[in-house]
Amino acid sequence: MLHSTLALSLLLIAVTSNLAMAIKKEKRAPQTLSRGWGDEITWVQTYEEGLYQAKKSNKPLMVIHHLEDCQYCQALKKAFAENEEIQEMAQNNFVMLNLMHETTDKNLSPDGQYVPRIMFVDPSLTVRADITGRYSNRLYTYEPQDIPFLIENMKKALHLIQTEL
């Protein structure tokens, strides 16, 4: 009887500890301003803060419009977060903002309100409508396979600061 009680107790402890480890693994990290776009990047919280920081730091503001339940946004987010060159440029050369809602600045939606949409604002607070993606029906959208094109547009935004401002 003592032997079976001991065996049952050990079995119960093993099952409980395995269950506790499984629950710990499923625990999600707290939501940060990055929302999965890059945890090493410093993100601003609002569009107004982004404009202020862009002007103050003389860096372009990169605005990413997205939604959590959008499969295209999720695919772009994954590609964006995994690309080291984008992460390095975003971390060092841009003021970064990702929005899950529209702003009051209609210049950020010149061809409509859709997601994902990435736009650039230069330090003079001009929305750079001339830095577009590859698609004529949604000028500011990017897909995961467009990451090299997005990198070129990021470099273009940096170059325009040096040549135009």
Side-chain angles (χ1 to χ4, degrees), residues 96-116:
M96 298 295 297
L97 172 65
N98 68 69
L99 292 174
M100 294 173 46
H101 56 81
E102 289 298 327
T103 69
T104 55
D105 188 344
K106 296 303 174 199
N107 293 313
L108 285 177
S109 54
D111 64 336
Q113 296 180 347
Y114 53 87
V115 292

Side-chain angles (χ1 to χ4, degrees), residues 13-95:
I13 290 170
V15 168
T16 305
S17 68
N18 283 342
L19 183 61
M21 287 185 349
I23 290 171
K24 278 185 182 178
K25 285 181 183 174
E26 289 181 25
K27 211 176 220 185
R28 296 182 69 193
Q31 183 78 321
T32 65
L33 288 177
S34 79
R35 297 182 180 99
W37 291 88
D39 291 335
E40 300 303 315
I41 298 169
T42 301
W43 297 88
V44 294
Q45 200 163 2
T46 64
Y47 181 57
E48 291 73 20
E49 180 187 357
L51 293 173
Y52 173 78
Q53 290 296 335
K55 189 169 186 76
K56 180 179 164 189
S57 66
N58 200 38
K59 293 179 180 179
L61 169 64
M62 184 173 176
V63 183
I64 303 170
H65 294 269
H66 65 100
L67 294 173
E68 280 300 315
D69 59 352
C70 167
Q71 66 180 348
Y72 305 106
C73 298
Q74 294 302 320
L76 180 61
K77 179 193 303 188
K78 184 177 187 308
F80 186 99
E82 291 174 354
N83 187 287
E84 289 181 24
E85 188 174 2
I86 283 182
Q87 292 294 302
E88 189 274 325
M89 276 197 294
Q91 195 172 11
N92 298 316
N93 305 110
F94 286 84
V95 175

